[in-house]
Amino acid sequence: MSSMAALSSIFIHGGCFSRFQDESKSLKMRKMATRFSVVSSAQKSNKSIKVGILGASGYTGAELIRFLANHPYFDISLMTADRKAGQSIGSVFPHLITQNLPDLVAVKDADFSSVDAVFCCLPHGTTQEIIKGLPSSLKIVDLSADFRLRDINDYAEWYGQPHKATELQKEAVYGLTEIYRNKIQNARLVANPGCYPTTVLLPLVPLMKANLITYENIVIVSNSGVSGAGRSAKEANLYTEISEGIFSYGITRHRHVPEIEQELSNAANSSVTISFTPTLMPMSRGMQSTINIQLAPGVSVQDLKQQLTRFYENEEFVVVFPDNQSPHTKYVQGSNSCHINVFPDRIPGRAIIISVIDNLVKGASGQALQNLNLMMGIPENTGLSCMPLFP
């Protein structure tokens, strides 16, 4: 019996954890914070799921390793990094030197014969052909943008090249966990959302579905830490270029715009167009979106807050503040949490929503692990119930 099949038997048939057998049980399970101590390789289950990380030398790869170290059922058996092939993870990320992990290999030399699932942390535009060549038995969570846009023509327009895995695109499920949980559970390929879209969609999708806001005049300004640009050396990301200042980029043409509009249009059953401006902040990690919206006729700001509170009341990782406190990126740093609050605008009929996440966790690796947990029938908070880092 394969490791994946054996573990599936334990979860689904053995009675330890059901595969979300009923909604009330799953909601209770998600709301209850489950704490795990660091799991050593000796303590890992001998029925563990073997996981590969493609692109392990980047920030999202490092974050996955950090969370998987606390995961009792996932065991990293393969890591790739073409430019770092042959090196240990401790030489690439010294903070991970205590982890007993396989050396990095080039993707072309990777052996997937004993791997059950893969996190793909490769750059946009390189992922499609690699995933297309992977064994069809693998469960895959792709952290790039290559499978997020359902319309391949949109992909070609915004990413400047034709999609090279159109058949795979048809089966990809968009991985905004709290919104598409049921589809993710049964998916083979999940397209992990972008960090900016995660901060925007978590508050807006429930409001769109409830017809509490209009589809016009949605204005979004999002601020991101520099880690969102990745680990590759870039002149624009040098300390002297970034520190003691902020600047906006990708104005009117940022690649996350079609992703946000796609999901808002799906929630509204109508075409939605947004104004979106991303801004780079002189900090390592963290993301805040300030969303200005128009209320539907007869709707109050309190109605928005009540809808979000009801929608997320059983969600462990999404918190709607009950008072007038403004969310702060410091309060979610290092965690898989999203904090949201709604405020009345001084302009009648409008509201301001503030949403914050850690761009490397809920905006990338944490949500990816949350999704793979679901895909494997494991309680989705497994390995993720860690407190934020503060200060």
Side-chain angles (χ1 to χ4, degrees), residues 206-214 294-296 299 303-304 307:
L207 301 180
M208 285 283 187
K209 286 180 176 291
N211 298 310
L212 295 178
I213 60 177
T214 68
Q294 181 79 35
L295 303 176
V299 172
D303 292 332
L304 304 189
Q307 166 65 4

Side-chain angles (χ1 to χ4, degrees), residues 148-220:
R148 294 173 188 162
L149 300 181
R150 298 184 186 94
D151 188 332
I152 59 173
N153 295 319
D154 286 343
Y155 180 87
E157 176 186 350
W158 287 86
Y159 287 87
Q161 58 185 336
H163 203 284
K164 300 173 184 176
T166 55
E167 290 304 311
L168 273 180
Q169 178 60 58
K170 294 176 184 177
E171 72 169 284
V173 172
Y174 189 71
L176 191 62
T177 318
E178 285 78 11
I179 306 301
Y180 293 114
R181 179 173 286 117
N182 292 336
K183 290 183 178 181
I184 293 166
Q185 286 179 11
N186 300 309
R188 186 184 78 87
L189 170 60
V190 167
N192 216 57
C195 45
Y196 285 129
T198 297
T199 62
V200 173
L201 296 172
L202 285 174
L204 287 191
V205 166
L207 301 180
M208 285 283 187
K209 286 180 176 291
N211 298 310
L212 295 178
I213 60 177
T214 68
Y215 308 153
E216 302 82 26
N217 300 319
I218 299 174
V219 180
I220 304 163

